[in-house]
Amino acid sequence: MILILMFHRVSDDDPNTWEHCKQWITEVAKRYPIIAPGEAPKRGRNICLTFDDAYADFYHYVFPLLETLNIKATVGIPTDFILENTDIPMTRRLAIPTKTALTPDAVQHASLCTWAELKEMADTGLVQLASHGHQHIGAADPSFNPELELIHSKNEIAKHTGHVPETYI
C-alpha cells in the first residue's frame, strides 16, 4: 500500500508550523518506508512525500531534513515562477505570504526555489523533480493549455536542471 502525503508550505509565517511538520515527518520516517513515485513499494504501508509549488521553504527547511533522515521527497514545480538564481536573503524569501507567493510580482522576490537550488537538490538523489504545470493552471480552467502545462513545463525542468521529470503533480 502507498500513502501519498501532499504538503504546500511548511513555514507559513508561524515558526511552530515547521517544528510540528519536522516532528511529524521524522516520526513517519521512523515507522514507514519512504519512497518516491515509480519506486517499487516494500511490504506493508509505504509513504510518498510530495510538496506542491516548490516554495523556498522546501529548500531551506525540508531539504536539510531529507538529508539528515536520508529519505526522499518529490517537489512539484510551476516552471513559469522559477528564477535561475537569486541573491535575495532567505529571510525575505520566506516572509512572502502564501496568498501572494504565486503571483507575477512575487516571482521577482524569489518566493519559490530557484533553478540552481532545484538542481542542487535533485543531484543528491533525495529530491525528485515533478512538473506542476507552467503557469499553475488547473486542467478544469478554460485557459488550460495541455501543451504548455504538461509538455513545456517538463521540458523547462529538464533544460534548467538536467533532470527529466517522470511525474506530474
Side-chain angles (χ1 to χ4, degrees):
M1 169 194 257
I2 300 172
L3 179 62
I4 300 171
L5 304 175
M6 188 271 299
F7 299 86
H8 277 95
R9 284 186 87 166
V10 297
S11 59
D12 203 24
D13 307 326
D14 178 355
N16 293 322
T17 303
W18 166 241
E19 285 306 314
H20 177 74
C21 188
K22 177 181 174 182
Q23 290 173 348
W24 194 85
I25 292 171
T26 301
E27 283 302 312
V28 167
K30 285 179 187 175
R31 299 169 192 241
Y32 304 103
I34 307 292
I35 63 170
E39 289 184 349
K42 297 163 179 72
R43 285 186 83 116
R45 179 170 290 146
N46 294 253
I47 305 294
C48 178
L49 302 173
T50 68
F51 294 80
D52 277 7
D53 305 324
Y55 289 106
D57 66 356
F58 180 83
Y59 178 74
H60 185 73
Y61 292 116
V62 178
F63 179 56
L65 181 62
L66 298 176
E67 289 182 305
T68 299
L69 299 175
N70 194 33
I71 60 173
K72 296 179 179 181
T74 301
V75 61
I77 306 163
T79 56
D80 196 31
F81 298 89
I82 307 296
L83 297 174
E84 192 61 44
N85 215 334
T86 187
D87 58 0
I88 297 171
M90 187 57 77
T91 52
R92 282 188 39 215
R93 295 171 67 192
L94 295 173
I96 296 170
T98 301
K99 292 178 183 174
T100 60
L102 283 169
T103 62
D105 182 52
V107 171
Q108 65 185 334
H109 301 293
S111 60
L112 306 184
C113 294
T114 64
W115 287 119
E117 292 164 347
L118 291 163
K119 180 177 181 351
E120 175 190 341
M121 293 186 289
D123 285 350
T124 68
L126 297 175
V127 175
Q128 182 184 79
L129 306 180
S131 175
H132 195 53
H134 181 66
Q135 297 177 321
H136 201 254
I137 296 172
D141 190 303
S143 65
F144 181 80
N145 176 338
E147 176 74 25
L148 184 66
E149 296 302 318
L150 303 174
I151 297 168
H152 179 73
S153 63
K154 176 182 176 178
N155 292 340
E156 283 293 295
I157 294 168
K159 177 177 89 175
H160 288 280
T161 68
H163 295 271
V164 178
E166 298 177 5
T167 306
Y168 183 92
I169 58 174

